[in-house]
């Protein structure tokens, strides 16, 4: 069985779907690994490192994809690359199925079995395959580092003979994996941290990290969490109360890290233009959710916007700013997902009854099969 590792084509994508370390493991499974030339360059992995691990370097994506039964990528491949994947092959990556319907239709038309890693069920045995957690963890850390780069003051309190420097104040909006890591990072740097989330269950986690939990007190707060543990859409009344609470808290903050996302939907706008203008000059907002519309009304993808001295950082692909670690974790997630599919001798043996398979499968046998997408075709 031939497996292809593609060079990512999107701007700002520095990650790679397999490292030399995971290539060794794939070869040990009986797979022939073909890596497109330069695929690991953005993550500091040389072609020679892949060769030493047992991979074959190809000069083009066409050569890598030729007769490949399995294709690994970070983000969904370009349409012209999909046209070179052989029918019946398996594609595994973060395919953003809710953002580009035409890509999913192209995969189905090509009879490719496509699996979206970001749809991984939140069950115990899938923890090692959870790309959202592994990548969000790094995104939360990096968001605080990026904020510090623009923040014109020191973060920790410093007592000197010349005077005392007050600690920075950080607010984290959304306390999933990224938010919790942002809290932990800001606390390690000496900041005073508060955090907000619609899920009351997050309160204990926030406080265990030494931050203050800020939330609209309501009897139905628990209803804003899905069974899988993700936040879901709030009522209009709750949104109004939340906006008032955020507005009163925001003006006192130096740094705001926005991480609030709702799976399959546009990110909720939590910071209005008026709220931004109420903040002190020198304050910084980092909007991790900008790829899905953003939590801040004024953030722009891959731009740093200045509003009366308040910097709004809208960098997309925050994990890609830590490509070595991000690729290491992501490739490990892929290997954990792929291993149960490989039978003795390196042949594919997919269990289509497994909830991990049914939870991530987008297309199979020429059809769109994921429930969240299939319903739209009826």
């Amino acid at each position: 069985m031939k497996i292809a590792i593609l060079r990512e084509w999107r701007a700002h994508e520095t990650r790679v779907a397999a490292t030399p370390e995971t290539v060794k493991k794939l070869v040990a499974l009986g797979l022939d690994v073909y890596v497109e030339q330069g695929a690991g360059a953005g993550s500091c992995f040389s072609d020679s490192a892949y060769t030493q691990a047992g991979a074959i370097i190809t000069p083009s994506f066409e050569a890598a994809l030729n007769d490949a039964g399995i294709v690994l990528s970070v983000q969904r491949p370009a349409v012209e690359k999909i046209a070179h994947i052989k029918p019946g092959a398996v594609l595994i990556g973060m395919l953003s199925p809710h953002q580009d319907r035409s890509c999913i239709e192209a995969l189905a038309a090509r009879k490719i079995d496509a699996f979206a890693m970001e749809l991984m069920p939140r069950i115990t045995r899938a923890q090692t395959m959870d790309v959202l957690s592994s990548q969000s963890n790094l995104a939360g850390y990096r968001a605080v580092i990026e904020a510090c780069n623009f923040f014109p003051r020191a973060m920790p309190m410093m007592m000197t003979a010349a005077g005392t420097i007050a600690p920075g104040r950080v607010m984290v909006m959304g306390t999933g994996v990224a938010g919790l890591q942002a809290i932990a990072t800001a606390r390690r740097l000496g900041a005073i941290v508060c955090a907000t989330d619609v899920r009351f269950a997050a309160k204990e986690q926030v406080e265990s990290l030494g931050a203050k939990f800020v939330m609209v007190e309501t009897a139905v707060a628990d209803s804003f969490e899905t069974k899988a543990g993700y936040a879901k859409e709030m009522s209009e009344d709750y949104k109004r109360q939340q906006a008032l609470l955020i507005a009163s808290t925001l003006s006192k903050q130096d740094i705001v890290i926005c991480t609030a996302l709702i799976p399959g939907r546009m990110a909720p706008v939590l910071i209005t233009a008026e709220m931004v203008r109420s903040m002190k000059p020198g304050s910084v907002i980092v909007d991790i959710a900008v790829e899905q519309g953003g939590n801040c009304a004024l953030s722009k993808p891959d731009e740093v916007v200045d509003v009366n001295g308040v910097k709004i950082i809208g960098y997309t692909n925050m994990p890609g700013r830590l490509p070595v670690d991000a690729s290491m974790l992501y490739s490990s997630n892929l290997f954990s997902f792929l291993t149960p599919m490989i039978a003795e001798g390196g042949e594919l043996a997919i269990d289509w009854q497994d909830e991990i398979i049914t939870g991530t499968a987008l297309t199979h046998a020429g059809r769109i099969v994921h429930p969240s997408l299939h319903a739209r075709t009826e």
Side-chain angles (χ1 to χ4, degrees):
M1 176 65 67
K2 176 179 176 179
I3 182 168
I5 312 300
L6 300 182
R7 180 173 183 168
E8 297 298 314
W9 64 282
R10 293 179 181 275
H12 311 296
E13 185 51 83
T14 55
R15 295 169 291 179
V16 64
T19 65
E21 186 61 33
T22 55
V23 164
K24 291 179 184 177
K25 296 178 180 179
L26 291 169
V27 171
L29 288 178
L31 301 171
D32 295 327
V33 183
Y34 286 71
V35 178
E36 184 181 350
Q37 187 176 34
S43 298
C44 305
F45 301 122
S46 65
D47 289 343
S48 62
Y50 283 109
T51 300
Q52 291 171 14
I56 297 170
I57 303 299
T58 68
S60 65
F61 73 83
E62 293 95 338
L65 290 173
N66 183 38
D67 202 36
I70 303 170
V71 181
L72 302 184
S73 68
V74 178
Q75 298 194 51
R76 61 179 180 268
V79 174
E80 59 267 24
K81 293 189 178 184
I82 291 175
H84 285 82
I85 301 175
K86 74 173 186 178
V90 168
L91 170 65
I92 307 172
M94 292 187 289
L95 306 181
S96 304
H98 298 293
Q99 293 183 17
D100 189 349
R101 178 76 181 187
S102 63
C103 176
I104 308 306
E105 292 173 348
L107 290 169
R110 189 73 178 163
K111 295 185 178 179
I112 295 166
D113 291 341
F115 296 90
M117 292 295 289
E118 65 267 51
L119 299 180
M120 188 65 61
R122 301 192 96 183
I123 57 177
T124 302
R125 64 189 178 92
Q127 287 180 345
T128 58
M129 312 171 195
D130 189 351
V131 297
L132 290 184
S133 292
S134 72
Q135 301 304 292
S136 295
N137 197 39
L138 292 172
Y141 163 81
R142 185 69 186 198
V144 176
I145 302 303
E146 294 291 349
C148 290
N149 188 45
F150 285 88
F151 187 48
R153 291 178 39 218
M155 285 284 268
M157 182 176 73
M158 297 183 184
M159 301 179 71
T160 74
T164 300
I165 297 174
R169 292 183 173 273
V170 176
M171 183 177 190
V172 177
M173 308 186 78
T175 58
V177 174
L180 292 174
Q181 183 56 249
I183 293 169
T185 302
R187 289 285 296 146
R188 284 195 292 267
L189 291 173
I192 296 173
V193 184
C194 67
T196 183
D197 199 291
V198 299
R199 300 166 301 139
F200 185 74
K203 182 176 187 291
E204 184 177 350
Q205 293 174 304
V206 168
E207 292 178 344
S208 71
L209 292 172
K212 179 182 178 182
F213 190 61
V214 178
M215 182 184 184
V216 174
E217 295 295 336
T218 171
V220 296
D222 287 340
S223 68
F224 297 131
E225 181 175 7
T226 67
K227 291 181 180 179
Y230 295 108
K232 63 181 181 180
E233 192 73 26
M234 299 172 290
S235 67
E236 290 304 317
D237 181 60
Y238 189 95
K239 288 180 182 179
R240 180 184 58 79
Q241 294 181 60
Q242 184 190 46
L244 292 173
L245 178 63
I246 291 173
S248 65
T249 307
L250 210 60
S251 61
K252 305 168 189 174
Q253 307 304 312
D254 297 307
I255 292 173
V256 182
I257 309 294
C258 300
T259 74
L261 290 170
I262 300 172
R265 299 198 180 192
M266 296 295 288
V269 177
L270 303 178
I271 302 177
T272 64
E274 184 180 355
M275 292 177 189
V276 173
R277 295 187 179 96
S278 74
M279 298 179 70
K280 300 169 290 186
S283 300
V284 179
I285 298 171
V286 181
D287 194 349
I288 294 179
V290 69
E291 286 185 271
Q292 288 181 229
N295 294 149
C296 177
L298 301 181
S299 62
K300 295 182 179 180
D302 293 311
E303 291 187 27
V304 177
V305 180
D306 190 316
V307 180
N308 298 332
V310 177
K311 298 288 195 307
I312 306 171
I313 302 171
Y315 295 155
T316 58
N317 191 10
M318 198 65 78
R321 291 178 173 268
L322 296 165
V324 175
D325 292 328
S327 295
M328 183 272 289
L329 295 177
Y330 179 70
S331 63
S332 180
N333 294 145
L334 290 187
F335 180 77
S336 295
F337 178 71
L338 183 60
T339 299
M341 296 185 186
I342 307 301
E344 188 175 347
E347 294 302 314
L348 269 174
I350 302 175
D351 179 4
W352 289 97
Q353 303 304 313
D354 189 331
E355 63 181 312
I356 289 176
I357 296 299
T358 57
T360 55
L362 298 181
T363 58
H364 175 55
R367 297 188 304 111
I368 296 174
V369 296
H370 196 274
S372 67
L373 298 170
H374 186 61
R376 303 181 193 180
T377 68
E378 299 298 329

